[in-house]
Amino acid sequence: MTQPVLEIENLTVRAGDRIVLRDLNLSVEPGSIIGLSGPSGCGKTTLLRTLAGLIDAEDGSISLRTRDSETPWVLAANSEPPDWPTFRRHMVLQQQRAVMIDDATVRENLRLPLRFRSHAPAPHDNAGDWDHQAGALMAQFGLSASLLKSVAGTLSVGEQQRISLIRALLIQPEALLLDEPTSALDADSVTVVESVISALARDRGLAVVVVSHDRDQLNRWCTDQMDLASCVVSHAPDNSEPVAAGVGGRVT
Amino acid sequence: MNISLLAQTGMDGAAGGEAVGALALGPIDLAIAAALVLVAGAISLLLRLHLEQRLIIAALRTVVQLLLIGYVLRWVFALDRPAPVLIVMLLMITAAAYAAVTRPSRTYDRAWVSVFITLIICASLTTLVVTGLIIGVTPWYQPQYLIPLLGMVLGNSLTGVSLALDHVLDSLVKDAPRIEMMLSLGASRWEAARDSMAEAVRRGMIPIINAMTVVGIVSLPGMMTGQILAGANPVEAVKYQIVVMFMIAAATSAGCMMIVLLAYRRLFTSRHQLNSGAIRKR
């Protein structure tokens, strides 16, 4: 049986003096796409930010299993992973509003992760290969290669959203956390983004946690869903992907 | 103890009053100068700027604060011992830290401690280096040198430090999405914060670089002017001014870097998170 990529146990997160998430449990298998829904303020974004380690949980643990290591990364209230930047590269958060280095070109933006020390040069990601992969992804997302030389700040919001998604995918994370990833896209681009991500999940075992207000999108795209307000996990009824068994989460 | 100190001051103060090279000003001279403030008041009334009250308060503060510091300095100069000089220096640094921390539009908990540490290290070290190594003041605590030099260093470096602090806090709030984007992509806190920090140090250093560029052409610095008024050889006064400018430049750049680093230490956690919630409007 496949081991889950991401396991969340009894996670409690506080924002100020308000408990936003309480005793949340969720387990995400490789290749599954988990949709998070619920009204504004119910903690969807907070959950993603906690998973990415941008905010601390009050209680509970998050463990992330990677292909290159036997022992999972564990974030718990009192344990500290040795290296946060490297941890975050395994579980990349894509924020709701795409953020670019506005005065740099698209190519420079795509190469941004190469500049960080946590980037361990591997055969597949030297700069040339990186650009090659970036080009391939841009083509899949329906973006012209001529955009590479454009200044990022001049791109439309929809283009920026896809470029920043490509930038996240180039890191080849085990898990991808998406906060409203298609909010600025037209209907055709939404379909393209969904199918590219689904293919990556299927082929590479990428685990995806996606937040969306669009119920229809979650219904057609996700293998499993979780409503953070009612805290009920459900499997996609018409989805026969084997990964559908991956969610065993229930919130008490 | 205190009484005897005071008595001594009164005596020495009276004796020290004649050593000034400039022409002494009497009460009438000051009264005429006060009339000059009325010009500003008249303009305020004429243009309905509603600045009269603030102008009066500011003018009174000028008179009271300067007279007060004049008497305090005369007292400290007369004591000729290190402890009172150090106390005055400490008070000056505290006041400067308070001023520097109230200027930026944002702040964080105990920001004034960061500013105080910055100023006490950068300003007093630079001043002591200059008085000890360059000017060669003996004894080392001679207040006639230490206090005015520290005053000049503080006055300028607090501007730089507050500008740098203002920018770094502003940037950490406004650019939080960019910083968190970089953190999400595997940047360390240092890598994610570097741009904001470098820009803040740059902003803090610009005024002193500008001042060094135009000094002697557009502006005649107060210290040099003062020495010349007191009868010093202008070339000697200029030499002092050069030392002072460099001293201010050193203290300001070190101060800008230090305040930005201290703010960084307070606002980024060891888990490489930006704690922008700790920054608040003042």
Side-chain angles (χ1 to χ4, degrees):
Chain A
M1 185 195 145
T2 11
Q3 283 186 308
V5 179
L6 175 64
E7 262 182 303
I8 303 168
E9 283 175 351
N10 303 320
L11 191 74
T12 299
V13 184
R14 192 185 279 275
D17 44 10
R18 192 169 69 99
I19 289 184
V20 185
L21 300 167
R22 186 192 293 276
D23 283 335
L24 186 108
N25 289 286
L26 182 67
S27 133
V28 184
E29 297 225 329
S32 53
I33 300 175
I34 312 288
L36 297 179
S37 57
S40 297
C42 75
K44 304 186 295 288
T45 299
T46 303
L47 176 57
L48 294 192
R49 288 170 57 80
T50 311
L51 293 178
L54 289 177
I55 45 179
D56 288 327
E58 172 131 316
D59 202 5
S61 72
I62 298 164
S63 41
L64 179 73
R65 209 172 287 277
T66 61
R67 277 159 293 184
D68 55 11
S69 169
E70 283 294 305
T71 46
W73 297 80
V74 179
L75 308 194
N78 290 318
S79 81
E80 208 159 302
D83 181 359
W84 280 83
T86 306
F87 167 78
R88 292 203 183 101
R89 291 183 84 101
H90 290 301
M91 184 149 62
V92 173
L93 168 67
Q94 169 74 6
Q95 300 174 92
Q96 175 166 8
R97 201 170 59 84
V99 189
M100 298 271 122
I101 310 288
D102 281 339
D103 49 5
T105 64
V106 168
R107 176 181 278 122
E108 285 162 340
N109 267 282
L110 288 170
R111 281 184 178 174
L112 183 66
L114 290 170
R115 280 186 8 203
F116 304 140
R117 259 193 25 207
S118 63
H119 173 75
H124 66 272
D125 54 20
N126 62 57
D129 237 20
W130 190 273
D131 286 354
H132 180 74
Q133 302 246 2
L137 280 166
M138 281 177 76
Q140 286 185 57
F141 278 109
L143 294 168
S144 151
S146 63
L147 277 183
L148 281 171
K149 293 199 185 86
S150 311
V151 174
T154 64
L155 266 56
S156 75
V157 186
E159 286 167 331
Q160 293 191 7
Q161 201 161 32
R162 279 172 287 172
I163 292 291
S164 71
L165 190 55
I166 291 170
R167 184 173 56 193
L169 288 170
L170 283 169
I171 300 177
Q172 305 205 345
E174 312 286 333
L176 188 60
L177 310 169
L178 302 175
D179 197 351
E180 301 278 359
T182 57
S183 59
L185 301 183
D186 57 75
D188 289 345
S189 305
V190 170
T191 312
V192 169
V193 167
E194 288 174 6
S195 68
V196 173
I197 300 283
S198 294
L200 285 170
R202 192 178 56 238
D203 304 340
R204 277 208 231 148
L206 176 71
V208 181
V209 179
V210 54
V211 161
S212 176
H213 279 100
D214 184 349
R215 290 268 181 189
D216 292 338
Q217 177 177 42
L218 295 181
N219 287 338
R220 70 174 174 260
W221 191 16
C222 299
T223 54
D224 305 277
Q225 288 187 49
M226 181 179 206
D227 186 334
L228 279 186
S230 62
C231 301
V232 172
V233 178
S234 61
H235 303 311
D238 56 346
N239 196 319
S240 55
E241 294 288 317
V243 290
V247 171
R250 185 165 180 84
V251 181
T252 47
Chain B
M1 175 78 179
N2 271 334
I3 295 167
S4 74
L5 284 184
L6 281 171
Q8 197 187 354
T9 317
M11 250 167 41
D12 287 8
E18 302 146 13
V20 189
L23 299 171
L25 298 177
I28 297 170
D29 304 318
L30 289 177
I32 296 171
L36 293 175
V37 180
L38 295 181
V39 175
I43 290 172
S44 170
L45 282 175
L46 199 68
L47 300 177
R48 299 207 180 90
L49 303 177
H50 303 294
L51 287 174
E52 303 91 60
Q53 201 183 346
R54 286 171 66 179
L55 203 61
I56 291 168
I57 293 171
L60 284 176
R61 282 189 65 153
T62 305
V63 173
V64 173
Q65 286 166 195
L66 286 179
L67 279 178
L68 210 62
I69 195 65
Y71 283 106
V72 168
L73 288 183
R74 188 164 74 171
W75 175 60
V76 172
F77 281 24
L79 285 179
D80 196 29
R81 277 189 312 187
V85 176
L86 289 177
I87 289 171
V88 169
M89 288 173 72
L90 212 59
L91 287 176
M92 288 166 72
I93 293 169
T94 311
Y98 179 75
V101 89
T102 49
R103 282 188 202 175
S105 55
R106 299 174 205 272
T107 188
Y108 56 90
D109 274 346
R110 283 176 294 154
W112 79 270
V113 177
S114 307
V115 176
F116 183 77
I117 294 171
T118 301
L119 290 179
I120 206 166
I121 291 177
C122 297
S124 51
L125 263 189
T126 332
T127 306
L128 288 171
V129 164
V130 166
T131 54
L133 289 181
I134 301 176
I135 307 180
V137 176
T138 44
W140 65 269
Y141 57 83
Q142 206 176 326
Q144 181 202 342
Y145 289 91
L146 272 188
I147 288 174
L149 287 175
L150 179 69
M152 279 184 288
V153 170
L154 279 178
N156 287 280
S157 55
L158 92 82
T159 307
V161 163
S162 58
L163 280 173
L165 183 62
D166 185 50
H167 182 81
V168 81
L169 296 181
D170 204 47
S171 174
L172 292 185
V173 170
K174 288 189 180 146
D175 298 334
R178 184 174 55 86
I179 290 168
E180 293 198 323
M181 174 270 284
M182 293 208 212
L183 292 172
S184 304
L185 294 173
S188 66
R189 54 181 170 166
W190 179 260
E191 288 166 329
R194 198 168 43 198
D195 288 352
S196 298
M197 299 197 332
E199 179 61 19
V201 175
R202 205 181 70 86
R203 298 253 182 130
M205 284 171 62
I206 285 175
I208 180 62
I209 294 174
N210 285 345
M212 283 166 67
T213 313
V214 301
V215 70
I217 302 173
V218 179
S219 68
L220 284 181
M223 188 208 68
M224 196 176 98
T225 326
Q227 276 186 302
I228 294 172
L229 280 176
N233 175 348
V235 176
E236 289 305 314
V238 162
K239 286 186 197 163
Y240 261 89
Q241 190 61 48
I242 291 172
V243 170
V244 165
M245 294 303 283
F246 290 171
M247 174 173 95
I248 290 171
T252 304
S253 22
C256 290
M257 202 170 78
M258 190 156 169
I259 188 64
V260 165
L261 286 174
L262 288 175
Y264 163 82
R265 297 266 316 175
R266 289 293 304 277
L267 299 168
F268 282 86
T269 68
S270 58
R271 301 176 154 220
H272 298 265
Q273 299 156 332
L274 168 62
N275 186 9
S276 53
I279 305 173
R280 55 174 201 276
K281 282 256 175 202
R282 50 176 322 109

